[in-house]
């Protein structure tokens, strides 16, 4: 649930991932660790999901490899035997859930592609008939497939709250016209290739979020990619329009938290063993479906 890499510099502790540097050198590679923490309704819950960090790391690595001809990525290695010697004492903690990554100058834009109308896209559409300034046909239903895939960027809100959807013009103001154009192009190309693959596995990739950075001036895919935490995956056989399609992975968690009428304030509750078990099984099912592998 919590990593401890001794005296290594801790760069960021997210809700789910912890990022360290392998040394104090300004250009040192980073240690990107996915923990077993799980968040729901914007809180980290009191229980972890055993192996969740390993499952999500293996899903990310599958996609980085699948996409390698389309976009460079930040991964150096995820094989503990190749990790820098300073990490040797922490092998047991890190194995299977850790990527050594190149340090990137992160671009402050969450690059989201949507093929279906859900989540904040659906919310914005109901209010304005548009998402991120992109007008959509009238009369669309929640979860409906969009006439074409759209680039719906977002910006991090400092106060740890939700990302805020922004217009393409705001991306241009933030990173310049050339980078903005390439981010949009890459985001749509990656989504297209991944969604086409997922469809062959009976899974709808409704939407997904990418983070890019510059490594030696080259646009590089960073963070985690196409995991159930960064994407909305729907089992095709449960898909319907006119309502929220249940999430592949967190639906048991959300249903439980609704059933106990938690007020969504800290501290977030722990989960019953059965909810933990069912949720773990769903993450594993996503891993097996997407990667075709049985073992982590
Ligand atoms: C980086 N984030 C935001 C933890 C992760 N390759 C990189 N180089 C420099 N910085 C970063 C990366 C990467 N990836 C990215 N923070 C630092 C992603 N956070 C979100 C919260 O959880």
């Amino acid at each position: 649930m919590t990593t401890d890499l001794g005296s290594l510099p801790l760069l960021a502790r997210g809700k789910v991932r912890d990022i360290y540097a392998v040394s104090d050198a300004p250009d040192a590679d980073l240690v990107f660790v996915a923990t077993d923490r799980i968040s729901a309704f914007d809180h980290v819950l009191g229980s972890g999901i055993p192996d969740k960090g390993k499952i999500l790391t293996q899903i990310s690595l599958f996609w980085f490899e699948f996409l390698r001809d389309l976009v460079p990525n930040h991964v150096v290695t995820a094989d503990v035997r190749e990790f820098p010697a300073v990490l040797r004492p922490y092998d047991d903690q890190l194995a299977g859930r850790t990527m050594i990554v190149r340090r990137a100058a992160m671009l402050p834009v969450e690059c989201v592609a949507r093929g279906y109308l859900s989540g904040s896209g659906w919310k914005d559409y109901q209010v304005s008939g548009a998402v991120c300034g992109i007008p959509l046909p009238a009369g669309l239903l929640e979860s409906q497939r969009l006439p074409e895939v759209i680039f719906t960027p977002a910006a991090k809100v400092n106060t740890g709250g939700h990302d805020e959807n922004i217009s393409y013009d705001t991306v241009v103001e933030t990173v310049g016209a050339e980078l903005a154009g390439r981010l949009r192009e890459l985001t749509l190309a990656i989504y297209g290739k991944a969604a086409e693959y997922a469809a062959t596995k009976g899974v709808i990739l409704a939407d997904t979020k990418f983070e890019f950075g510059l490594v030696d001036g080259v646009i590089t895919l960073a963070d985690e990619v196409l995991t159930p935490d960064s994407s909305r995956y729907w089992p095709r056989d449960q898909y319907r329009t006119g309502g929220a399609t249940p999430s592949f992975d967190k639906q048991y968690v959300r249903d439980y938290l609704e059933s106990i009428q938690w007020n969504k304030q800290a501290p977030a509750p722990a989960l019953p063993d059965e909810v933990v078990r069912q949720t773990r099984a769903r993450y594993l099912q996503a891993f097996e479906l997407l990667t075709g592998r049985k073992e982590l």
Side-chain angles (χ1 to χ4, degrees), residues 125-139:
Y125 172 76
Q126 285 175 286
V127 171
S128 69
V131 184
C132 296
I134 302 165
L136 295 173

Side-chain angles (χ1 to χ4, degrees), residues 14-15 17 19 30 32 74 101-104 106 211 222-223:
K15 287 206 176 84
R17 289 154 290 155
I19 305 181
L30 305 183
F32 190 100
H74 67 159
V101 303
R102 291 290 304 275
R103 193 187 292 250
M106 296 303 292
E211 292 192 36
D223 204 57

Side-chain angles (χ1 to χ4, degrees), residues 38-202:
I38 183 169
S39 68
F41 301 115
D42 287 330
H43 292 264
V44 177
L45 305 183
S47 315
I49 305 298
D51 298 326
K52 173 174 178 278
K54 291 186 184 178
I55 297 167
L56 266 59
T57 298
Q58 297 311 307
I59 291 174
S60 272
L61 290 167
F62 167 81
W63 285 116
F64 279 129
E65 171 66 24
F66 180 86
L67 297 165
R68 60 177 297 150
D69 295 339
L70 204 55
V71 60
N73 65 68
H74 67 159
V75 179
V76 176
T77 181
D79 181 343
V80 286
R81 294 165 303 182
E82 298 176 358
F83 284 9
V86 289
L87 293 177
R88 197 55 30 87
Y90 311 109
D91 267 10
D92 289 351
Q93 216 184 120
L94 299 179
R97 62 173 71 250
T98 306
M99 305 183 294
I100 306 300
V101 303
R102 291 290 304 275
R103 193 187 292 250
M106 296 303 292
L107 298 169
V109 178
E110 312 276 306
C111 292
V112 177
R114 300 177 187 274
Y116 293 76
L117 194 53
S118 184
S120 70
W122 168 241
K123 270 192 187 156
D124 293 355
Y125 172 76
Q126 285 175 286
V127 171
S128 69
V131 184
C132 296
I134 302 165
L136 295 173
L140 295 177
L141 301 175
E142 184 174 15
S143 304
Q144 193 168 340
R145 188 175 183 164
L146 295 168
E148 60 185 350
V149 182
I150 54 176
F151 176 61
T152 60
K156 276 232 186 326
V157 177
N158 302 324
T159 50
H162 271 137
D163 296 346
E164 169 181 82
N165 284 340
I166 57 177
S167 68
Y168 182 71
D169 285 352
T170 301
V171 180
V172 170
E173 285 162 16
T174 307
V175 300
E178 176 166 327
L179 271 177
R182 292 167 66 194
L183 290 179
R184 177 164 65 182
E185 209 169 71
L186 272 172
T187 297
L188 295 174
I190 297 167
Y191 172 89
K193 182 163 177 172
E196 179 184 59
Y197 173 84
T200 69
K201 307 297 177 184

